[in-house]
Amino acid sequence: MKNKKILRFLIYIICIIMLLICFIGCGKKAEENGLQNGCAEDGGIKVVTTLFAPYDFVNHVAADTDIELSMLIKPGSESHSFDPTAQDIISIKNCDLFIYTGGENDSWVEDILDSLDEPIRTLRMMDHAALVEEETKEGMHTPKFAGHSHDESGEEHEEHNSDADYNEEAEWDEHVWTSPLNAINIIDGISAEMSELRPENAERYAANAESYISSIMNLDKEFKELVSAAEYKTLIFADRFPVRYFTEEFGLDYYAAFPGCSAEAEPSAATVAFLIDKVRSEDIPAVFYIELSDERMADVICEASGAEKLRFHSCHNVTASDFQSGETYLSLMTQNLNNLKRTLKI
């Protein structure tokens, strides 16, 4: 985590230097084109989001209105490895509304916002949910320090090697939108922010938000009915686990290889063995993996246990083809519902 923070800080410094250079040229170009603060002369709103879920929410709230909407993390990219470019910083500075998650993974956002000459309007999604901490479940892989290390002289030194040391600082789970009820709160917040920006469109924003929220509430009801009818309510994730808000809302239990924002990519043999044994002993019919992730661990567990491999979409991003085909938060969560029907024992 420390090396990752240092790398992001260096990238941030480089971006600031490039940003100062770009501002000179961009400012002149904006004057020539009659643009101000990134908005066209016709008054359209310029909105920038980091992730797919809020991008989709804005797209529905702003339907049939004038808007310039962009997403910083390109389709097909993994959000946990994202680092902003100078152009990304310019896009943030020039937008009317910037929507991001907040939390440890978005520390770069706070740095950029603090560096701007003038504050911009933002919506922080974590402010629209009752937060829960990331947790380390039984069997979950946690990186441990080697039992001993050696200095240049070859002298041996004892290192800490306990989960208590590793988990000393608890972190909030950042994937708040994975709960449909949280998504509804975020959509309401987006509608309110956009209505303040363009009061003349407030009724349209509110109507669009109400329509999309109604669809999400219907889906939420289907999830509740499915889980209520299930006798066994445990999910297995051969992957990170970025959907704790989802399981918290619907009263589901889970076992997973890593916490939601883990930087680890290779699970321990003990973790894989634990998950295989859990699938076998509980006769669990399916094992989940997350979109845009390496599916090899799921393949290993399914081959050893006979379980079916299924995707659970956290909606943090989509593939380029899904983006082009018009997938939405609602359509992806509907896919999750259908896969849960094949997993939960009714």
Side-chain angles (χ1 to χ4, degrees), residues 51-64:
L51 303 177
F52 174 76
Y55 176 93
D56 175 70
F57 300 158
V58 174
N59 206 28
H60 281 83
V61 171
D64 302 319

Side-chain angles (χ1 to χ4, degrees), residues 222-233 344-346:
E222 290 190 65
F223 276 122
K224 285 184 170 70
E225 290 174 349
L226 173 64
V227 174
S228 176
E231 295 181 5
Y232 189 76
K233 304 176 183 182
L344 300 178
K345 297 178 182 178
I346 307 300

Side-chain angles (χ1 to χ4, degrees), residues 56 91 115 121 144 148 167-168 181 185 187 202 243 290 293:
D56 175 70
S91 296
S115 73
R121 184 182 291 268
K144 295 191 176 185
H148 297 82
N167 291 321
E168 187 173 323
L181 294 183
N185 291 336
I187 292 169
V243 293
I290 299 298
S293 70

Side-chain angles (χ1 to χ4, degrees), residues 3 13 34 45 104-105 153 182 190 206 213 225-226 233 246:
N3 291 336
I13 293 299
I45 299 178
E104 181 67 26
N105 206 50
S153 67
N182 284 347
I190 289 171
I213 286 172
E225 290 174 349
L226 173 64
K233 304 176 183 182
F246 177 89

Side-chain angles (χ1 to χ4, degrees), residues 319-328 331:
T319 64
S321 60
D322 281 348
F323 188 81
Q324 290 296 326
S325 65
E327 293 285 2
T328 67
S331 68

Side-chain angles (χ1 to χ4, degrees), residues 97 164 186 205 262 345:
L97 177 61
I186 294 167
Y205 298 146
S262 173
K345 297 178 182 178

